Amino acid sequence: MHTPTIGDSVDVLDTPSMVVDVSIMDQNIAKMMKRFEDTRKHVRPHLKTVKSPLLAQRLLNAGARGCCVAKVSEAEVMAAAGITDLLITTEIIGTVKIGRLIDLVMKYPTVKVVVDSIYGANELNLAMQQFAPGMKLQVLVEINVGQNRTGIAPGSEAVGLAKHVGGLKHLRLVGVQGYEGHLQHLAKDERVRLCRTAMEKLSATVQQIKDEGLTLDIVTTGGTGTCEICAEFDCVTEVQPGSFVFMDAAYRNAIGTTYGNALSILSTVISRPATDRAVIDAGLKSLSNDSGNAEPKAYSSMRYRPAGDEHGILEWHDLDLRLDIGTRLELIPSHIDTTVNLFDVYYGIRNGIIEAIWPVSARGKVQ
Ligand SMILES: Cc1ncc(COP(=O)(O)O)c(C=O)c1O
């Protein structure tokens, strides 16, 4: 069997395979960077989407300033590959994970973390005191700006936590995070209105914290659907979008085509049980469906649905459509992050030729 190599035709790829239109991806990245070029805001892309140090480096080369990751295990992969200005955007709780974090921070002191509780802050402080007493861990207080996931309540509670962190010997308060994930897929008017409300909460709390004499170097927020709205606010220093690199069908259906669908799953028709139905070799193990079903790329009248782990069904009403057994076709995932996590590598394609092979090195890194 031939191992796919750079310079080969896309036709050598077995299916299902994850393929990236390099030109669309680069346009997406350039567009995001351009949007913030004339502002004083930085783009710190969230790597929970790409899960690849090589693509992280591409983002940094294009103008990103630092990166976000969701988990300590993702940070380990990125840092080992030289991506070291990292913000871990999920709270780190438990002695096992904190131990892992301390090992990482001792090697890469520019790794930053978020906290949303006095408990969490005290645990981090204690571990630093025990294992890295000569260092200070960089900490951002996470504020709940409306998502009602993690984050301490804005206002006095957040101010109290910021003061607490600021007073701990082994932590250094460097900023706040306020992420409005619940707004990313809303229709434009609603997204703008609610994002401004969220940012007003964030701004007011940032001011209250500063009024206490504390310094906040970083105020980080925003995803692909909201980052431009967040950037209207003076207090925001950086945005942390992730999905824009590849986009997905759910995002595109919600916010439009500013960023193009750059990634798809290449599959093969393996059975034609009826004139209006085909079976392909991509099911739940190749295309996540937590945000609905994937969409066939080149056939707008065709619908896809998973038919188990390994199979997918395509259905259509246009009886003239021929789709012979053996035909290869691409599907746009409904949710990019959970689909990327299913594959070992990306094949970067330009004009039908494999231009790059990027391992999804942080695949499965959920700890
Ligand atoms: C904390 C945080 N920041 C940023 C992002 C990136 O958002 P998006 O992929 O919508 O651009 C996410 C995505 O889940 C997130 O959880």
Side-chain angles (χ1 to χ4, degrees), residues 18 45-57 59 67-78 81 83 86 242-243 245-246 263 336-346 358-367:
M18 184 161 71
H46 209 307
L47 304 180
K48 70 192 281 292
T49 304
V50 300
K51 283 184 159 286
S52 149
L54 292 173
L55 291 180
Q57 192 57 56
L59 286 156
C67 294
C68 295
V69 288
K71 297 295 182 78
V72 174
S73 54
E74 275 179 356
E76 288 168 347
V77 171
M78 297 300 161
I83 314 293
L86 291 170
S243 299
V245 177
F246 301 132
L263 181 146
I336 197 67
D337 296 21
T338 47
T339 295
V340 164
N341 198 42
L342 299 171
F343 285 85
D344 291 330
V345 290
Y346 300 98
W358 301 299
V360 187
S361 310
R363 176 183 183 190
K365 300 297 181 198
V366 292
Q367 293 178 333

Side-chain angles (χ1 to χ4, degrees), residues 46 48-49 89 149 177 179 184 222-224 240-243 251:
H46 209 307
K48 70 192 281 292
T49 304
T89 61
R149 188 171 65 181
Q177 169 175 278
Y179 175 62
Q184 302 303 330
T224 298
Q240 44 175 261
S243 299
Y251 233 129

